[in-house]
Amino acid sequence: MTEIEALLDGYNVGAACQALRDHLEVLTNWYIRRSRTRFWAGEPAALDTLWTVLETVTRAAAPLLPLTTEAIWRGLTGGASVHLEDWPDVSDWPDEQELAGAMDLVRSVCSTALGLRKAHQLRV
């Protein structure tokens, strides 16, 4: 979220939108898709993590997607308006650079393998 904040502070809205899109792609294609069974099982840690991420992303996306984030915010929190909330502060979140780097590598390998499968018309 700090990347989006820095881009918006520099009036680089296009890059901020792209950063948000990249973040949401990783969230949906890698975290949510890979954790479905944990959500279906009602695992509290998985659900709490997902709620925290959605709540934070909704606040960060509010300047870029005002109406959409308003609907998500009300459904997620029941709060009055996302636009009345403070910008998300993620500075106290754990900073796991080694884990993030390893996951970036895994995503890259999987994307490359999927590309090769498509190129050779192999089923997933």
Side-chain angles (χ1 to χ4, degrees):
M1 298 305 110
T2 55
E3 178 186 3
I4 295 170
E5 182 177 16
L7 291 167
L8 288 174
D9 286 347
Y11 300 103
N12 193 345
V13 177
C17 289
Q18 185 61 45
L20 176 64
R21 183 178 182 274
D22 294 344
H23 182 77
L24 290 174
E25 181 180 340
V26 170
L27 175 67
T28 58
N29 288 332
W30 292 97
Y31 180 70
I32 293 175
R33 187 174 288 172
R34 302 294 181 256
S35 301
R36 284 182 194 158
T37 55
R38 295 175 65 203
F39 300 139
W40 293 334
E43 189 177 313
L47 294 171
D48 182 56
T49 299
L50 180 60
W51 189 93
T52 301
V53 169
L54 290 175
E55 189 267 346
T56 304
V57 168
T58 302
R59 287 190 286 147
L64 303 170
L65 302 163
L67 300 176
T68 302
T69 55
E70 189 68 24
I72 294 169
W73 182 262
R74 289 185 180 175
L76 189 63
T77 68
S81 175
V82 68
H83 305 289
L84 299 175
E85 298 296 320
D86 291 333
W87 184 262
D89 179 18
V90 296
S91 62
D92 60 342
W93 286 15
D95 188 17
E96 305 264 349
Q97 289 300 322
E98 186 177 322
L99 177 60
M103 283 308 301
D104 288 343
L105 179 62
V106 167
R107 284 196 307 273
S108 177
V109 168
C110 290
S111 294
T112 301
L114 185 58
L116 289 170
R117 283 181 173 173
K118 284 183 180 180
H120 294 281
Q121 300 177 348
L122 300 172
R123 297 181 74 189
V124 177

